[in-house]
Amino acid sequence: MTQEGGELDSLVRKRIRALRVAQGWSLQELATRAHLSQSSLSRIENGQRRLALDQLVTLARALDTTLDQLVETATDDVITSPTIDSTHGQMRWTVKADPGMSVVRQRMTEPPPENPARMRAHPGHEWLVVLSGTAILMLGHRRFRLETNQAAEFPTMMPHAIGAEGGPCEILGIFDRDARRGHQRDGDGGDAGAPE
């Protein structure tokens, strides 16, 4: 076996054990779920038994993961630089594991619109956290005040807008593919104050 293969083998064994421990399962509990004997699982985790593909598939299912995730290796491109949109005060990162997801950091200075007609609705889901200052989230006919470190999560089919209260605020938002597309379609760089 090559050194690289040996490293992957060791990584997979550590990953199996770490996932089992994270679930709070004993060797016996995972062995039962994976239809293995406890001693076989113990030898797999300790490197005393060869890793067989069929056992890895069964273990991945029992651990509620996929074979791909169980055997994936780290890549060299773990650091991502943002795309900067100075006009709208935004920094945007894509999530490599799910290119449909975006993370956006935005500085806001304007309050949200009072006119409900200026709120937007589109397919998708958004999550945001206030990094500094105070933000106002308009969601349908409701108004939510978010202080630093408070978060909000909502379906974007609900008419929504966000803005600052009492001075600038910074938010970090996570958008699924549909929410991101909804903001990009609008094309004017804002969501009545919400991140694009």
Side-chain angles (χ1 to χ4, degrees):
M1 180 177 279
T2 65
Q3 181 179 355
E4 185 177 296
E7 289 172 7
L8 177 60
D9 184 89
S10 176
L11 175 65
V12 170
R13 292 175 193 278
K14 288 176 184 174
R15 206 171 266 161
I16 290 168
R17 184 178 191 289
L19 289 169
R20 175 179 62 78
V21 170
Q23 294 283 0
W25 295 339
S26 66
L27 274 167
Q28 182 59 52
E29 287 173 298
L30 178 56
T32 300
R33 291 171 186 270
H35 308 291
L36 295 169
S37 70
Q38 181 177 338
S39 63
S40 291
L41 178 59
S42 177
R43 288 194 310 268
I44 287 171
E45 285 188 4
N46 293 320
Q48 299 167 348
R49 182 174 177 163
R50 184 180 64 82
L51 290 172
L53 183 58
D54 60 332
Q55 289 173 334
L56 287 177
V57 170
T58 302
L59 282 166
R61 279 193 203 115
L63 290 164
D64 195 28
T65 189
T66 65
L67 180 60
D68 287 345
Q69 290 173 325
L70 198 57
V71 300
E72 74 182 341
T73 57
T75 60
D76 292 335
D77 57 346
V78 296
I79 298 174
T80 304
S81 296
T83 302
I84 298 173
D85 178 352
S86 303
T87 306
H88 300 108
Q90 293 182 346
M91 297 172 84
R92 180 187 314 274
W93 299 263
T94 56
V95 178
K96 290 179 186 175
D98 183 352
M101 299 286 286
S102 290
V103 178
V104 175
R105 180 177 178 173
Q106 183 170 10
R107 184 173 191 270
M108 298 182 175
T109 57
E110 299 297 318
E114 294 296 327
N115 182 353
R118 292 197 51 220
M119 289 193 262
R120 296 187 179 150
H122 49 82
H125 202 85
E126 294 183 19
W127 178 93
L128 62 92
V129 63
V130 178
L131 300 175
S132 66
T134 303
I136 300 297
L137 171 64
M138 304 297 293
L139 199 54
H141 296 292
R142 298 177 68 191
R143 183 178 202 262
F144 298 93
R145 188 170 195 262
L146 299 160
E147 300 287 341
T148 300
N149 297 326
Q150 287 186 313
E153 184 174 353
F154 57 93
T156 55
M157 285 301 286
M158 176 75 69
H160 60 282
I162 190 166
E165 178 183 75
C169 72
E170 276 197 320
I171 65 166
L172 186 70
I174 300 175
F175 303 87
D176 70 8
R177 181 182 313 268
D178 291 331
R180 189 188 73 195
R181 284 181 185 157
H183 289 284
Q184 288 173 337
R185 260 195 306 274
D186 295 325
D188 66 353
D191 185 18
E196 184 179 323

